[in-house]
């Protein structure tokens, strides 16, 4: 496992932001960390990326403990924050040269690294522009280029497409998927866009500092939501049944064969999963 998190806790006095969570991330996977605002996503990412010290528990990345070997961890990771950390006055290229030098890259090695990440993120068209003049989508590409300058093994993306228009979101998403598939890079994504999480190899849902579920999108849909079978009878009556899988519809359809005018099966979505795991949990504990 590239990332292992065990009993990880972050408290601020009486406030428990992260409450003893456990999860793992497989090397080369696209991993989504889902939760509403205030669920503990950013706090967890800050601990994993050595920006915040855990109160207790452990987290290792590539076998290195985030507390004991922060420098080794930093060399393995690239981070794209929600808010930009680039210098607005410098060009994209200048920003990348500065960033690369932080990692000890010099001379030709630094030049090659900058050229490589500009090509990788398709930032050629605006690499000579000042960062402050870029559009939202261009900024995002530049931010990703910055995170990749030292060839990290894992890329942390904290809600990378928030505030972007649908077309730009799609472009950024294509770039992220290519990095994972072509470069074998591990991507750790936090998002609240369900359709983005649907592309993941694995999803963890965090709510109020606790992990509610972990699995593939298919496993979570199977476990935490149902499909709907809608039947319109020949008399015009509409009947709705909850079914856990499509084959469950067969005995119902068989029984009503003579009376059926129209049939529709609506599959459960990750949105349903997310709502059931967060709101459903609230309702359960309200009684």
């Amino acid at each position: 496992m590239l990332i292992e998190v065990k009993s990880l806790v972050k408290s601020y006095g009486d406030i428990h932001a992260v409450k003893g969570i456990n999860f793992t991330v497989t090397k080369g996977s696209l991993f989504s960390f889902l939760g509403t605002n205030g669920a503990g996503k950013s706090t967890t990412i800050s601990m994993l990326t050595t920006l915040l010290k855990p109160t207790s528990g452990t987290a290792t990345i590539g076998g290195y403990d985030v507390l004991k070997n922060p420098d080794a961890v930093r060399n393995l990771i690239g981070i794209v924050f929600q808010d930009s950390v680039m210098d607005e006055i410098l060009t994209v290229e200048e920003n990348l040269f500065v960033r690369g030098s932080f990692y000890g890259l010099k001379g030709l090695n630094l030049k090659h690294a900058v050229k490589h990440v500009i090509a990788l993120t398709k930032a050629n068209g605006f690499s000579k522009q000042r960062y402050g003049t870029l559009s939202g989508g261009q900024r995002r590409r530049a931010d990703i280029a910055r995170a990749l300058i030292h060839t990290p093994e894992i890329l942390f993306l904290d809600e990378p497409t928030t505030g972007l228009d649908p077309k730009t979101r799609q472009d950024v998403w294509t770039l992220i998927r290519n990095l994972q598939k072509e470069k074998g890079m591990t991507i750790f994504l936090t998002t609240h866009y369900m359709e983005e999480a649907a592309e993941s190899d694995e999803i963890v849902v965090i709510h109020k500092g606790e992990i509610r579920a972990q699995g593939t999108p298919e496993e979570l849909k199977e476990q935490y939501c149902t499909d709907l079978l809608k039947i319109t009878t020949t008399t015009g009556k509409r009947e709705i049944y909850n079914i856990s899988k499509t084959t469950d519809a067969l005995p119902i359809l068989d029984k009503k064969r003579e009376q059926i005018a129209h049939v529709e099966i609506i599959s459960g979505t990750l949105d349903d999963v997310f709502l059931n795991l967060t709101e459903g949990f609230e309702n359960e504990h309200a009684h």
Side-chain angles (χ1 to χ4, degrees):
M1 290 294 163
L2 190 59
I3 299 179
E4 286 192 63
V5 172
K6 290 179 187 161
S7 308
L8 197 63
V9 172
K10 184 64 189 175
S11 303
Y12 301 93
D14 292 342
I15 297 162
H16 306 298
V18 173
K19 304 171 184 172
I21 61 175
N22 300 283
F23 66 88
T24 54
V25 179
T26 313
K27 191 175 167 59
S29 65
L30 173 54
F31 176 92
S32 282
F33 200 49
L34 285 188
T36 52
N37 290 337
K41 297 195 304 288
S42 291
T43 305
T44 303
I45 272 208
S46 295
M47 287 191 280
L48 292 179
T49 54
T50 75
L51 298 171
L52 201 57
K53 285 188 172 173
T55 305
S56 62
T58 60
T60 59
I61 295 186
Y64 295 109
D65 187 293
V66 296
L67 263 180
K68 295 175 190 155
N69 299 95
D71 290 344
V73 169
R74 282 182 211 123
N75 280 327
L76 290 179
I77 64 176
I79 316 166
V80 177
F81 299 97
Q82 283 180 44
D83 302 316
S84 174
V85 285
M86 277 199 173
D87 191 315
E88 303 265 327
I89 296 163
L90 299 179
T91 66
V92 171
E93 201 175 62
E94 287 164 349
N95 266 296
L96 295 173
F97 272 105
V98 171
R99 186 66 186 166
S101 66
F102 287 165
Y103 286 95
L105 292 168
K106 296 185 184 80
L108 271 179
N109 285 345
L110 180 54
K111 264 187 184 161
H112 286 317
V114 169
K115 198 175 168 185
H116 176 65
V117 294
I118 286 173
L120 203 58
T121 54
K122 296 187 169 56
N124 309 64
F126 53 86
S127 63
K128 307 274 191 221
Q129 267 177 255
R130 285 185 177 189
Y131 183 79
T133 67
L134 302 181
S135 70
Q138 289 171 333
R139 278 175 174 247
R140 208 28 103 212
R141 282 178 187 281
D143 294 341
I144 293 171
R146 173 189 181 276
L148 297 175
I149 193 76
H150 60 299
T151 326
E153 278 190 43
I154 178 165
L155 182 62
F156 283 90
L157 299 164
D158 196 6
E159 307 211 349
T161 60
T162 300
L164 299 179
D165 63 83
K167 169 75 177 88
T168 309
R169 262 176 65 194
Q170 203 178 357
D171 292 346
V172 170
W173 198 237
T174 302
L175 167 61
I176 292 166
R177 268 205 304 272
N178 288 346
L179 285 172
Q180 187 226 347
K181 293 205 167 69
E182 292 167 22
K183 302 283 167 197
M185 192 172 283
T186 308
I187 308 282
F188 188 115
L189 174 82
T190 75
T191 182
H192 52 249
Y193 289 121
M194 294 304 120
E195 71 272 26
E196 291 185 351
E199 304 275 346
S200 317
D201 298 305
E202 188 138 44
I203 295 172
V204 158
V205 179
I206 186 170
H207 185 58
K208 295 199 167 171
E210 294 176 10
I211 283 177
R212 297 283 181 254
Q214 174 165 9
T216 65
E218 288 67 36
E219 285 166 352
L220 294 185
K221 280 194 272 196
E222 205 170 289
Q223 212 173 337
Y224 296 103
C225 68
T226 55
D227 296 345
L228 291 181
L229 167 66
K230 292 187 174 183
I231 297 174
T232 308
T233 65
T234 45
T235 60
K237 188 173 160 228
R238 296 187 70 197
E239 298 177 2
I240 296 177
Y241 301 87
N242 277 317
I243 55 174
S244 54
K245 53 186 187 298
T246 309
T247 48
D248 293 351
L250 296 174
I252 302 169
L253 296 173
D254 212 30
K255 206 168 161 185
K256 299 191 164 285
R257 185 179 301 212
E258 307 301 322
Q259 310 150 32
I260 294 172
H262 179 70
V263 169
E264 187 184 3
I265 291 180
I266 298 166
S267 296
T269 65
L270 275 181
D271 277 320
D272 300 332
V273 170
F274 190 63
L275 291 171
N276 288 340
L277 281 169
T278 52
E279 287 182 9
F281 200 88
E282 296 291 294
N283 298 339
E284 258 174 53
H285 284 63
H287 301 310

